[in-house]
Amino acid sequence: MAHNPKFGPFAQTPQQRAHVLRQMLIVRENMGLKTPTRAQALYQRYVAGELSWQEVCDLLAAPSALPSPVPFGSDRQSL
């Protein structure tokens, strides 16, 4: 098997990526952090080899991953 630079040395196969992901999720859970629903689909794409970990992080940080902004002035109360 040739080394794929898209993935780390211990994440070359789907099984290895799944193991790394499980470890990371356990750490997040122990820290009291929840996994967003959107992240779960990206994690599966990582395990499948469709996305690198950096691509997963970039997609999660993208503005589309954030809640829709509140329109300006909608939070103002009537005087």
Side-chain angles (χ1 to χ4, degrees):
M1 175 178 76
H3 175 77
N4 185 339
K6 185 175 177 178
F7 303 104
F10 300 105
Q12 290 292 302
T13 67
Q15 294 81 11
Q16 289 174 322
R17 289 189 290 275
H19 177 71
V20 169
L21 179 61
R22 276 192 302 276
Q23 290 178 316
M24 189 269 305
L25 292 175
I26 288 169
V27 170
R28 286 182 55 85
E29 183 179 314
N30 288 340
M31 293 173 63
L33 301 172
K34 301 215 183 247
T35 301
T37 304
R38 182 170 187 270
Q40 294 172 5
L42 294 174
Y43 293 164
Q44 292 309 311
R45 292 181 64 194
Y46 165 73
V47 170
E50 296 173 24
L51 298 173
S52 68
W53 188 252
Q54 184 61 54
E55 290 168 322
V56 170
C57 293
D58 291 346
L59 288 168
L60 288 173
S64 64
L66 300 175
S68 299
V70 176
F72 180 75
S74 65
D75 59 343
R76 293 186 177 194
Q77 296 179 357
S78 301
L79 297 177

